[in-house]
Short mmCIF file of all heavy atoms in Angstrom, two decimals:
data_model
loop_
_atom_site.label_atom_id
_atom_site.label_comp_id
_atom_site.label_asym_id
_atom_site.label_seq_id
_atom_site.Cartn_x
_atom_site.Cartn_y
_atom_site.Cartn_z
N LEU A 1484 -78.60 40.29 -44.71
CA LEU A 1484 -77.23 40.64 -45.07
C LEU A 1484 -76.25 39.61 -44.50
O LEU A 1484 -75.31 39.19 -45.17
CB LEU A 1484 -76.89 42.03 -44.54
CG LEU A 1484 -75.48 42.56 -44.89
CD1 LEU A 1484 -75.33 42.71 -46.40
CD2 LEU A 1484 -75.21 43.89 -44.19
N GLY A 1485 -76.49 39.19 -43.27
CA GLY A 1485 -75.65 38.17 -42.66
C GLY A 1485 -75.72 36.85 -43.41
O GLY A 1485 -74.70 36.18 -43.61
N THR A 1486 -76.93 36.48 -43.85
CA THR A 1486 -77.10 35.25 -44.62
C THR A 1486 -76.34 35.32 -45.94
O THR A 1486 -75.67 34.36 -46.34
CB THR A 1486 -78.59 34.99 -44.90
OG1 THR A 1486 -79.30 34.92 -43.67
CG2 THR A 1486 -78.79 33.69 -45.68
N MET A 1487 -76.41 36.47 -46.61
CA MET A 1487 -75.70 36.64 -47.87
C MET A 1487 -74.20 36.57 -47.66
O MET A 1487 -73.47 35.92 -48.43
CB MET A 1487 -76.07 37.98 -48.50
CG MET A 1487 -75.43 38.21 -49.87
SD MET A 1487 -75.36 39.94 -50.35
CE MET A 1487 -74.07 40.53 -49.26
N GLN A 1488 -73.69 37.20 -46.62
CA GLN A 1488 -72.25 37.20 -46.35
C GLN A 1488 -71.75 35.80 -46.03
O GLN A 1488 -70.66 35.41 -46.45
CB GLN A 1488 -71.93 38.17 -45.22
CG GLN A 1488 -72.09 39.63 -45.62
CD GLN A 1488 -71.94 40.58 -44.44
OE1 GLN A 1488 -72.09 40.18 -43.28
NE2 GLN A 1488 -71.64 41.83 -44.72
N ASN A 1489 -72.55 35.03 -45.28
CA ASN A 1489 -72.17 33.65 -44.98
C ASN A 1489 -72.10 32.81 -46.25
O ASN A 1489 -71.19 31.99 -46.43
CB ASN A 1489 -73.16 33.03 -43.99
CG ASN A 1489 -73.02 33.60 -42.60
OD1 ASN A 1489 -71.96 34.12 -42.24
ND2 ASN A 1489 -74.08 33.52 -41.82
N ALA A 1490 -73.08 33.01 -47.14
CA ALA A 1490 -73.09 32.27 -48.40
C ALA A 1490 -71.90 32.66 -49.27
O ALA A 1490 -71.27 31.80 -49.90
CB ALA A 1490 -74.40 32.52 -49.14
N MET A 1491 -71.58 33.93 -49.31
CA MET A 1491 -70.43 34.40 -50.09
C MET A 1491 -69.13 33.84 -49.52
O MET A 1491 -68.22 33.47 -50.26
CB MET A 1491 -70.39 35.93 -50.10
CG MET A 1491 -71.48 36.58 -50.92
SD MET A 1491 -71.37 38.37 -50.90
CE MET A 1491 -69.85 38.63 -51.79
N HIS A 1492 -69.05 33.75 -48.20
CA HIS A 1492 -67.85 33.21 -47.57
C HIS A 1492 -67.67 31.74 -47.92
O HIS A 1492 -66.56 31.28 -48.20
CB HIS A 1492 -67.94 33.37 -46.05
CG HIS A 1492 -66.78 32.75 -45.32
ND1 HIS A 1492 -65.52 33.30 -45.33
CD2 HIS A 1492 -66.70 31.63 -44.55
CE1 HIS A 1492 -64.71 32.55 -44.62
NE2 HIS A 1492 -65.40 31.53 -44.14
N SER A 1493 -68.75 30.99 -47.94
CA SER A 1493 -68.66 29.56 -48.23
C SER A 1493 -68.38 29.29 -49.70
O SER A 1493 -67.71 28.32 -50.05
CB SER A 1493 -69.94 28.83 -47.81
OG SER A 1493 -71.04 29.29 -48.59
N SER A 1494 -68.88 30.16 -50.58
CA SER A 1494 -68.67 29.94 -52.01
C SER A 1494 -67.41 30.60 -52.53
O SER A 1494 -66.99 30.36 -53.64
CB SER A 1494 -69.88 30.47 -52.80
OG SER A 1494 -70.02 31.86 -52.60
N LYS A 1495 -66.76 31.43 -51.72
CA LYS A 1495 -65.51 32.09 -52.06
C LYS A 1495 -65.60 32.87 -53.36
O LYS A 1495 -66.24 33.89 -53.43
CB LYS A 1495 -64.36 31.08 -52.08
CG LYS A 1495 -63.99 30.60 -50.68
CD LYS A 1495 -62.70 29.83 -50.70
CE LYS A 1495 -62.27 29.55 -49.27
NZ LYS A 1495 -61.01 28.80 -49.21
N TYR A 1496 -64.97 32.33 -54.44
CA TYR A 1496 -64.84 33.10 -55.66
C TYR A 1496 -66.03 32.99 -56.59
O TYR A 1496 -66.01 33.51 -57.69
CB TYR A 1496 -63.57 32.64 -56.40
CG TYR A 1496 -62.36 32.67 -55.53
CD1 TYR A 1496 -61.77 31.50 -55.07
CD2 TYR A 1496 -61.80 33.87 -55.12
CE1 TYR A 1496 -60.66 31.52 -54.25
CE2 TYR A 1496 -60.70 33.91 -54.30
CZ TYR A 1496 -60.12 32.72 -53.87
OH TYR A 1496 -59.03 32.76 -53.05
N ASN A 1497 -67.07 32.30 -56.16
CA ASN A 1497 -68.22 32.11 -57.03
C ASN A 1497 -69.11 33.35 -57.03
O ASN A 1497 -69.38 33.94 -55.99
CB ASN A 1497 -69.03 30.90 -56.55
CG ASN A 1497 -70.20 30.62 -57.45
OD1 ASN A 1497 -70.17 30.92 -58.62
ND2 ASN A 1497 -71.24 30.07 -56.87
N GLU A 1498 -69.57 33.73 -58.22
CA GLU A 1498 -70.44 34.90 -58.31
C GLU A 1498 -71.85 34.56 -57.85
O GLU A 1498 -72.64 35.45 -57.58
CB GLU A 1498 -70.48 35.42 -59.75
CG GLU A 1498 -71.01 34.40 -60.75
CD GLU A 1498 -71.10 34.98 -62.14
OE1 GLU A 1498 -71.56 36.13 -62.27
OE2 GLU A 1498 -70.70 34.30 -63.09
N TYR A 1499 -72.16 33.28 -57.78
CA TYR A 1499 -73.47 32.86 -57.31
C TYR A 1499 -73.40 32.53 -55.82
O TYR A 1499 -72.42 31.95 -55.36
CB TYR A 1499 -73.94 31.60 -58.07
CG TYR A 1499 -74.08 31.80 -59.54
CD1 TYR A 1499 -73.02 31.55 -60.39
CD2 TYR A 1499 -75.27 32.25 -60.10
CE1 TYR A 1499 -73.13 31.72 -61.76
CE2 TYR A 1499 -75.40 32.42 -61.47
CZ TYR A 1499 -74.33 32.16 -62.29
OH TYR A 1499 -74.44 32.33 -63.64
N THR A 1500 -74.43 32.89 -55.09
CA THR A 1500 -74.53 32.49 -53.69
C THR A 1500 -75.89 31.84 -53.49
O THR A 1500 -76.91 32.37 -53.94
CB THR A 1500 -74.38 33.70 -52.75
OG1 THR A 1500 -75.31 34.70 -53.10
CG2 THR A 1500 -72.98 34.27 -52.83
N ILE A 1501 -75.89 30.68 -52.84
CA ILE A 1501 -77.14 29.97 -52.64
C ILE A 1501 -77.24 29.53 -51.18
O ILE A 1501 -76.25 29.28 -50.51
CB ILE A 1501 -77.26 28.74 -53.56
CG1 ILE A 1501 -76.07 27.79 -53.38
CG2 ILE A 1501 -77.40 29.16 -55.00
CD1 ILE A 1501 -76.18 26.53 -54.19
#
Side-chain angles (χ1 to χ4, degrees):
L1484 182 63
T1486 302
M1487 183 201 72
Q1488 290 173 339
N1489 289 336
M1491 289 180 67
H1492 176 72
S1493 64
S1494 61
K1495 288 191 172 180
Y1496 308 108
N1497 182 29
E1498 61 177 316
Y1499 299 91
T1500 54
I1501 56 176

